[in-house]
Amino acid sequence: MTRHLPVLTRSAPISPLWVLAACSLWMAGPGNWVLWRKLAQLGLLQGLGGAAFAVALGVMLAAALAALMALLAWRLTLKPAATLLLVATAAGSHFMGSYGVVIDPGMMRNVIETDLHEARALVDVRLLLALGLLAGLPAWWLWRQPIAPRRFGRALWQNAATVGAALLVLVAAGLASFQPLASSMRNHKDLRYLFNPLNSVYAVAREVGLPRANAATPIEPLGADAQVASAAPASRAPILVLVLGETGRSGNFGLNGYARDTTPELARESVVSFRNAWACGTSTAVSVPCMFSGLGREQFKPDAAQRAEGLLDVLQHAGLAVLWLDNQSGCKGVCDRVPHAATCPQGDCLDDVMLAGLDERLAALDPARRARGTVIVMHQIGSHGPAYHLRSGPAQKRFMPECTAASLTACSREAIVNAYDNSIAATDHALALTIGWLKARGDAPTAMVYVADHGESLGENNLFLHGMPYAIAPEVQKRVPWVTWMSPAWQRESGVDLACLASRRDEAVTHDSYFHSVLGLMGVHTRVYQRTLDAYAPCRAEGVASARAPG
């Protein structure tokens, strides 16, 4: 009797349409667990009506994904495209589920501009687990399946028919659930940002895939008429330090009435803190260009701002010396045309590193410009999360225990707040050192203005980090600290009364005022300056050193 060894055979080739359907259902179902959890928390899945709504919404998601994948269902692109969408689904579900963020064009801009040091802090076991379960397993299945070959003509009409059929199903399911769907989207606007991975596809297309009509246009000049008073002796030229904070919550500053004394060193200085300051955006990629554009939040458009000069250009037009120091992942384009330097190329330095060698950096600037005045911008790492514990040194770790885990959800809220508050204490120390450096300039009029780019969520309502769409972002992501210090010489020559500023500290001020306030402080005369948006103008004495103050 002849015995035959078993023969291992590959499974029969399957139609690309079955692959498309399987991947779409997987992403619409398990891949959207954050959406389904949110709907359940809102009570939208209760009863038969809720179940019908869930089915209709699931069908709509699967149909939309099927239509998208049908456009890519070709022999050489199907598996790579499906794998990429699976990875996007897994990553999106992890970050939305773990940190409560949503994925929109602004958040995608943050992702694109995130450097290796920042990205490293977000990698943890939970992310790897999400990638393995939601992307790795289906991708492993996908790449093991032989795909039935199709001639080009057959593939073309099948793909086109699939797109059309998927869109018809999408419309039919939408009409069948129109009333609950419209009501849910109207009352809970954040739901539209949870459709995974359609949110990522749209955001990527919006940020990097769509042609930009103004990409080839020259940089639009701004404030070319800018002028300042004549040059002064080197020892009397004004120096203004603009400290651009990162992820600063106004409510966590002791200066602003926080129960914890997170800013003891600043409290010993004659500073004024605006307690009701509001950001232009909820992410660095939006707020920083907006602050320096002079456009204001309502008129600001990221693409347009990239093709126009900003605050630092106006200061240079006025003949002032400008220097940008970066302890972050870049200046988002606002320092491209001025002298700039990275102070911590290896990453994870505390912000006082920007003072190291500062005198030598200033000496290298044009002496003719320095004689008119110098503006130094220090872009902090500040309280950049989620690794808040890396943003403070041993001397600032006053609140313990602090969260040291890569995933904030692995820590208690107390430990998260402790780590964050320690980072504010480190910012307090860095600002005090900066004031000390300015005091050492002798009789020169010197000043420092610290303003954070945006705030942060520390677990309130299960939200973490920042970057929520402005319309639905919580107050803690939009309210920022704004602290001012001026030397006696600066106060005399500028005519700004600190007591007056202190009396206005609870009045609302926004990033819209930043551009004009800096021009006012440096006495820059230009048509683009608006006195009504200068936060210091109401406290500038008329006729006092008017040569340095725009009219």
Side-chain angles (χ1 to χ4, degrees):
M1 182 176 182
T2 303
R3 297 181 64 185
H4 297 281
L5 295 175
V7 178
L8 297 177
T9 59
R10 292 170 61 93
S11 58
I14 61 175
S15 168
L17 302 184
W18 283 113
V19 172
L20 183 153
C23 291
S24 298
L25 290 171
W26 177 265
M27 289 184 285
N32 269 278
W33 67 266
V34 177
L35 172 64
W36 304 122
R37 183 185 68 177
K38 180 69 172 181
L39 292 172
Q41 291 172 344
L42 295 173
L44 299 177
L45 302 183
Q46 296 178 355
L48 291 177
F53 174 58
V55 170
L57 187 57
V59 169
M60 291 175 64
L61 279 172
L65 288 166
L68 173 63
M69 292 185 63
L71 298 174
L72 306 169
W74 306 94
R75 183 172 64 88
L76 296 179
T77 59
L78 175 58
K79 288 185 177 181
T83 302
L84 186 60
L85 286 173
L86 288 168
V87 171
T89 301
S93 67
H94 167 73
F95 289 111
M96 290 190 297
S98 296
Y99 298 108
V101 301
V102 297
I103 299 177
D104 68 337
M107 182 60 71
M108 189 57 63
R109 192 178 311 123
N110 292 333
V111 173
I112 294 170
E113 297 182 359
T114 295
D115 63 17
L116 181 61
H117 299 299
E118 295 175 347
R120 186 176 57 195
L122 296 170
V123 178
D124 64 354
V125 174
R126 298 186 184 200
L127 172 59
L128 298 179
L129 185 62
L131 290 174
L133 292 177
L134 289 178
L137 288 179
W140 176 81
W141 171 84
L142 172 64
W143 285 92
R144 285 177 56 85
Q145 303 305 312
I147 305 299
R150 298 180 298 172
R151 292 186 178 182
F152 176 78
R154 181 180 178 85
L156 181 62
W157 77 258
Q158 282 188 343
N159 290 355
T162 301
V163 172
L167 292 178
L168 286 176
V169 170
L170 174 64
V171 171
L175 292 175
S177 60
F178 179 78
Q179 185 172 348
L181 180 65
S183 176
S184 299
M185 295 301 106
R186 183 172 57 251
N187 296 325
H188 308 285
K189 298 183 185 298
D190 57 325
L191 290 177
R192 68 191 67 183
Y193 301 110
L194 300 181
F195 296 155
N196 196 24
L198 297 174
N199 48 6
S200 296
V201 173
Y202 170 74
V204 169
R206 175 77 178 271
E207 287 303 303
V208 299
L210 296 178
R212 296 178 178 178
N214 60 352
T217 59
I219 300 296
E220 182 179 347
L222 180 70
D225 63 328
Q227 295 180 351
V228 293
S230 59
S235 62
R236 296 291 302 157
I239 300 176
L240 173 63
V241 175
L242 302 175
V243 183
L244 183 54
E246 167 64 39
T247 316
R249 283 167 57 118
S250 178
N252 288 62
F253 270 58
L255 290 173
N256 294 339
Y258 188 40
R260 285 178 164 177
D261 190 10
T262 54
T263 54
E265 295 188 62
L266 283 175
R268 291 193 289 269
E269 303 291 348
S270 299
V271 301
V272 175
S273 179
F274 293 151
R275 299 177 176 180
N276 195 18
W278 297 82
C280 182
T282 62
S283 67
T284 303
V286 173
S287 281
V288 170
C290 181
M291 292 169 68
F292 285 80
S293 71
L295 296 173
R297 190 177 72 83
E298 295 297 330
Q299 285 74 40
F300 175 76
K301 302 295 181 186
D303 292 349
Q306 291 176 0
R307 309 310 306 168
E309 292 183 338
L311 173 61
L312 302 187
D313 299 288
V314 179
L315 296 174
Q316 284 203 141
H317 291 324
L320 298 168
V322 180
L323 174 64
W324 179 288
L325 300 177
D326 217 306
N327 191 31
Q328 254 261 37
S329 59
C331 67
K332 314 306 177 188
V334 302
C335 69
D336 288 352
R337 293 169 295 278
V338 304
H340 56 275
T343 57
C344 184
Q346 72 273 25
D348 291 338
C349 294
L350 298 181
D351 287 319
D352 52 17
V353 70
M354 289 186 282
L355 292 171
L358 182 52
D359 291 298
E360 291 76 13
R361 294 184 190 275
L362 290 186
L365 299 177
D366 184 349
R369 289 182 173 274
R370 285 191 287 114
R372 292 186 177 89
T374 301
V375 177
I376 305 166
V377 185
M378 294 182 173
H379 189 195
Q380 293 185 320
I381 190 67
S383 301
H384 195 289
Y388 305 122
H389 66 286
L390 297 179
R391 312 304 173 213
S392 58
Q396 288 85 47
K397 294 189 181 298
R398 305 168 193 155
F399 312 107
M400 301 298 285
E402 64 176 4
C403 178
T404 59
S407 176
L408 294 178
T409 54
C411 298
S412 67
R413 187 165 188 275
E414 178 188 10
I416 295 170
V417 174
N418 285 345
Y420 181 85
D421 285 349
N422 289 336
S423 74
I424 298 298
T427 291
D428 172 64
H429 180 62
L431 295 179
L433 290 176
T434 302
I435 292 173
W437 181 86
L438 288 170
K439 288 180 176 179
R441 301 308 98 192
D443 293 332
T446 57
M448 182 200 75
V449 176
Y450 164 84
V451 184
D453 57 355
H454 55 77
E456 186 86 330
S457 288
L458 297 177
E460 300 90 351
N461 299 314
N462 293 318
L463 291 179
F464 296 91
L465 304 180
H466 53 267
M468 293 286 286
Y470 202 90
I472 62 174
E475 178 179 309
V476 291
Q477 292 191 24
K478 297 186 285 190
R479 201 164 183 171
V480 295
W482 184 318
V483 180
T484 304
W485 175 86
M486 297 178 180
S487 70
W490 187 286
Q491 295 175 56
R492 288 193 304 270
E493 297 197 15
S494 69
V496 175
D497 183 355
L498 289 188
C500 172
L501 286 180
S503 70
R504 301 172 63 91
R505 64 187 179 185
D506 290 320
E507 296 182 12
V509 63
T510 72
H511 276 173
D512 291 6
S513 292
Y514 190 78
F515 177 96
H516 306 280
S517 298
V518 173
L519 293 181
L521 287 172
M522 291 305 296
V524 176
H525 298 259
T526 171
R527 288 190 297 272
V528 299
Y529 168 79
Q530 297 181 45
R531 185 180 178 87
T532 56
L533 289 176
D534 183 344
Y536 303 100
C539 294
R540 185 181 297 120
E542 294 292 336
V544 178
S546 58
R548 283 199 49 224

